[in-house]
Amino acid sequence: MTAGIRDAAKVPAVTLGFWVVKNLATTLGETGGDTVTMQLGLGYLVGTAIFLSLLVVFVAWQIAARRFYPLLYWATILASTTAGTTMADFADRSLGIGYTGGSALLLALVLGTLAAWRWTLGSIDVSTVRTRRAEAFYWVAITFSQTLGTALGDWAADDGGLGFGGGALVFGGALAVLAALYFTTRVNRVLLFWAAFILTRPLGATVGDLLDKPVAEGGFALSRALATAVLAGAIVLLLLVLPQRAAEGEAAH
């Protein structure tokens, strides 16, 4: 085996269970991030520092692991989605970039990361995430996409005038279109995966806001902490009921 190449990918196979857990994780990222920054009153900068530190720790742990561990992988995803929430809110609101500017900047960063990954390693197929370099690109792309999703969800709900419920319907509908393309066409599967992966984040952002924002702002005013705890419990339960395996495919050389 070539140095640095592993026999199995370090990320899960893309199954229905994967997408269910991913959507729950993105929603938890919104409620969990808001719990720290808003409900606990720590602010966006402190919240970003907390979750970004956790993300660095989990990514380092994930890269150091010798094989795919579902709980570790999803803990890293949760760290990225909560960090994405607080980073986007800090940029959009504290720095005054705004939802439109933040979304455009982050979309450029996501596309730039994927392009650099493709140019450097020859593929952005997640089944080839078997080397440390591939994992580094993977987690940078993941974090930018999680941050983009928060900004895009806020843009659709506020600047786009859709509200939280309307935004959730639009992003949910877009994901349904991607699913239809997957089952009825031969559109590139890697392209469809990344499009769906990115869109799950604004869906989670709008659903999370719908759950915990005040009624006057179009939300249900549920407890952010309680919603976060329920979502976390649902994710753990699903991981136990629907065991996940590592992605399969050709190793990257």
Side-chain angles (χ1 to χ4, degrees), residues 99-160:
Y99 299 136
T100 302
S103 297
L105 174 61
L106 288 161
L107 177 60
L109 290 171
V110 172
L111 295 178
T113 301
L114 292 175
W117 181 1
R118 177 68 174 80
W119 183 78
T120 302
L121 299 180
S123 176
I124 56 173
D125 188 336
V126 294
S127 67
T128 66
V129 180
R130 301 162 184 270
T131 69
R132 287 183 172 82
R133 282 202 301 171
E135 284 189 89
F137 276 116
Y138 178 84
W139 287 109
V140 171
I142 292 296
T143 301
F144 282 147
S145 73
Q146 306 281 38
T147 310
L148 166 64
T150 298
L152 190 58
D154 288 340
W155 174 84
D158 295 337
D159 292 356

Side-chain angles (χ1 to χ4, degrees), residues 32-96:
D34 288 349
T35 297
V36 170
T37 59
M38 298 179 184
Q39 188 165 325
L40 297 182
L42 297 181
Y44 302 126
L45 183 59
V46 173
T48 296
I50 292 172
F51 292 121
L52 199 54
S53 297
L54 286 173
L55 176 59
V56 170
V57 170
F58 278 118
V59 167
W61 190 359
Q62 170 77 14
I63 291 176
R66 298 304 303 170
R67 63 183 181 86
F68 171 62
Y69 294 99
L71 289 178
L72 174 58
Y73 173 84
W74 286 107
T76 311
I77 288 290
L78 288 174
S80 74
T81 194
T82 46
T85 295
T86 56
M87 285 192 293
D89 288 343
F90 178 72
D92 295 343
R93 299 167 187 174
S94 298
L95 297 182

Side-chain angles (χ1 to χ4, degrees), residues 7-14 125-128 130 245-251:
D7 290 329
K10 300 281 294 296
V11 297
V14 182
D125 188 336
V126 294
S127 67
T128 66
R130 301 162 184 270
R245 65 182 190 279
E248 298 175 353
E250 294 297 324

